Amino acid sequence: MDSIFSKINLPGVPVDLLATLRIFFEMGTKENKTLFEQTYVDRWCTYNLPQMDLTCEAIMASYKVRFMASLIGNDSGTPLRPSDGFKTFKDEIPRMGHRFPMSAKKLRKMLSILENSRYTDQQKFNEVYKMLMGDTQEAYMGCKDTADHIVLQALSNGGVAEFSPTLNNPDGRKYKVDYLMPKENKRKATKNWVDENKNTINPFEELQAIKLDYENSGIKFGEMCVAPALYSWIINCPAVRRAIKGTDKSGQVVTPVELNNMLDQFELPPISKIVKRNSIAEDGVRKSTLVNPWNDNMIVLKPAGYIGEVQPAFEDNAIIEEPNVEYIDAGNGMRVAKWQVGESTGQQAGEYTQASWRALPILTGIAGVVNYQVRGIE
């Protein structure tokens, strides 16, 4: 059956709720940004147009030093250069999605608002639209969170992201993607950055040595990504305190601004804290554990700006729409669907909101990303 939101009649507000939602997504797409919040996949990746094929193919840059042009004679042909700085990446585009039921309690609340004569039509519209947006946001952002999980896990895990029903993908399937991070970009510190070693570790010197190694190879880093706990350890490390405050004031608190100023003096990029936790559910029940896609033992040095692209594919329901289901294009190939259920379908009366997306982030700049493991070293 059609969505409840397509049947609401508010004479004083001649606006179709679902049509309004469609316009909302279209405007967001034009501005090339997410609609509800900035996710990591939006910050670090561009988006390709959706395709029919379910296999993605992209050119992976290797961040080699550029060739100088040769000085040649006026009548000479230009010399041929090798194309060994690139390789082609191919992998399956996974499908992600979930649906949420509108509870009877929520439905009753909406109907009571619509039937209450004390409210104006505009007030009724605003309240019902708020409900519509809440369900849609939950479904939409869940798909973006999965793309974030792929990007963050791969960036901090040697270029590999993996999903398993027993670990981070209940109700789902096994899936693994390897972006082929070069072996030489997987570095380890000589000792663990933990309290028992804090007096013999100088983060500035270690990070500067890495930065110089890759700078000589033509790679320039734009930021260093770390977990909050590791960030706290770095900012309180004795060597960091002494460098910023001096020996006589090393007991004072170091501020984030002071840390980034000192990093700049060492010609190091600023530190970004990676905070990402998501709930997971199994058989419709929320699990108590939260999923963290980031490897907290790793410092990730990455180039500034975009380091990848997202390749979407058309969803099946974009090719063949089901009757009596309302569809909304949520941008970049994602589809939101809404439909009613009831006695005719053998279910309790209510409404479902579903978001589904076929998309794979492709880290085309993986050769310019370095993993520096500073904890968990055997």
Side-chain angles (χ1 to χ4, degrees), residues 150-311:
I150 293 173
V151 170
L152 292 175
Q153 189 183 22
L155 280 181
S156 63
N157 192 43
V160 178
E162 195 164 1
F163 289 80
S164 166
T166 57
L167 294 176
N168 58 1
N169 195 32
D171 295 339
R173 51 167 287 198
K174 284 187 176 182
Y175 180 78
K176 180 178 179 179
V177 58
D178 188 345
Y179 295 105
L180 306 176
M181 178 183 285
K183 289 183 179 180
E184 59 269 24
N185 289 17
K186 304 172 188 179
R187 308 279 291 264
K188 287 186 179 182
T190 55
K191 59 181 73 173
N192 286 300
W193 288 21
V194 293
D195 285 347
E196 62 188 64
N197 298 326
K198 65 182 181 181
N199 293 317
T200 59
I201 291 174
N202 188 325
F204 292 134
E205 291 180 356
E206 291 189 36
L207 294 170
Q208 190 179 50
I210 292 177
K211 174 245 182 188
L212 291 173
D213 281 350
Y214 288 90
E215 199 170 64
N216 291 333
S217 301
I219 296 174
K220 186 176 181 180
F221 301 118
E223 63 181 317
M224 298 185 290
C225 303
V226 303
L230 184 55
Y231 176 88
S232 179
W233 188 90
I234 292 171
I235 204 169
N236 289 298
C237 176
V240 171
R241 285 176 175 270
R242 287 194 299 271
I244 295 173
K245 294 292 188 179
T247 304
D248 57 330
K249 297 180 180 179
S250 60
Q252 295 182 2
V253 174
V254 174
T255 67
V257 173
E258 289 173 329
L259 175 61
N260 279 330
N261 286 340
M262 184 56 68
L263 287 169
D264 187 57
Q265 291 184 42
F266 277 92
E267 297 184 330
L268 289 167
I271 291 179
S272 299
K273 286 187 285 186
I274 303 298
V275 182
K276 187 75 178 184
R277 297 291 190 275
N278 286 111
S279 296
I280 53 176
E282 187 170 9
D283 297 327
V285 179
R286 183 188 294 268
K287 303 190 79 171
S288 58
T289 55
L290 296 177
V291 174
N292 174 20
W294 189 257
N295 184 345
D296 290 353
N297 295 328
M298 208 70 69
I299 295 177
V300 175
L301 297 92
K302 60 173 286 293
Y306 296 124
I307 56 169
E309 57 192 50
V310 177
Q311 181 58 65

